[in-house]
Amino acid sequence: GISYYFLGIWLTYEATYYIPSAFLACLSTTAIFFTLLIKKIFWQQPLLKVMILGALISTLGLTIFFFDQLSSQEGASKGVALALLSFFLIAVGSVITERVNQKYQMSSIKINKIAIFTACIAFMITCVYQKQSLSVPLSVEFLLPLFYLGIVCSALAFVLFTSMVSRMGTEYAQYVVFI
């Protein structure tokens, strides 16, 4: 929860202050490389040439396509650094999710409940520490998109992603996300 939902997602949003979201999407392909390296280093899983080649082709293609947008951004190097760190942390969280599922046979809903709860606690502590307001506007214009983003785009999408991680492995599930 801390790695994926709290730090990974938070740093992704922070990176959008410095780089266009299209280029951020290109950089998200690095999560595959990070996943492969984490599995190689910590679990001695072999690096499959087809996975490396696929990750290289997708990253290179997207980067070439959006490279001109990056050069016009001030502070782009900070944005790229934040994005790469966020995708590393997301890869760590994804690999941990896969291992937890293998070891404890937990459902994707239960894994996400625990992870989201942990991340919420971390966000609350951060907000209190930074003396940020925890108030939310109670207008329909704010609450409907928040509900949609929170339930459909976050909770449902992450449950489906976690389910794919359990069934096919982290690196393959990350390819599906890019499609």
Side-chain angles (χ1 to χ4, degrees):
I2 298 294
S3 176
Y4 196 110
Y5 289 107
F6 177 61
L7 294 173
I9 302 298
W10 180 23
L11 290 173
T12 300
Y13 284 116
E14 290 294 318
T16 62
Y17 288 117
Y18 304 101
I19 59 175
S21 58
F23 193 75
L24 184 71
C26 295
L27 291 174
S28 70
T29 61
T30 61
I32 297 170
F33 292 105
F34 292 135
T35 298
L36 293 171
L37 287 173
I38 290 165
K39 286 183 162 190
K40 173 70 175 167
I41 292 168
F42 293 104
W43 289 286
Q44 290 72 46
Q45 184 171 323
L47 293 173
L48 300 175
K49 289 179 185 173
V50 70
M51 290 299 295
I52 295 169
L53 184 61
L56 281 171
I57 290 170
S58 62
T59 302
L60 183 63
L62 288 170
T63 303
I64 289 169
F65 188 72
F66 290 109
F67 188 76
D68 62 326
Q69 290 183 18
L70 182 64
S71 60
S72 64
Q73 291 292 120
E74 189 174 317
S77 58
K78 183 175 183 178
V80 169
L82 287 169
L84 291 175
L85 180 58
S86 76
F87 296 124
F88 172 76
L89 291 168
I90 287 170
V92 168
S94 297
V95 171
I96 289 170
T97 297
E98 183 178 356
R99 292 295 171 179
V100 165
N101 183 273
Q102 289 172 353
K103 186 172 183 176
Y104 299 107
Q105 298 298 310
M106 294 173 72
S107 71
S108 58
I109 292 176
K110 188 169 186 171
I111 290 171
N112 277 286
K113 276 191 216 177
I114 294 167
I116 290 171
F117 179 76
T118 306
C120 285
I121 299 284
F123 273 118
M124 292 286 287
I125 291 169
T126 303
C127 286
V128 169
Y129 178 76
Q130 293 180 347
K131 296 181 174 51
Q132 296 290 323
S133 171
L134 298 175
S135 65
V136 175
L138 297 178
S139 66
V140 173
E141 295 83 18
F142 183 83
L143 292 176
L144 284 178
L146 180 64
F147 177 77
Y148 174 76
L149 291 170
I151 301 300
V152 177
C153 296
S154 293
L156 182 60
F158 286 117
V159 166
L160 294 173
F161 176 76
T162 305
S163 179
M164 285 191 305
V165 165
S166 300
R167 292 178 187 190
M168 54 193 339
T170 307
E171 60 275 19
Y172 292 106
Q174 288 170 340
Y175 272 118
V176 173
V177 171
F178 301 128
I179 295 172

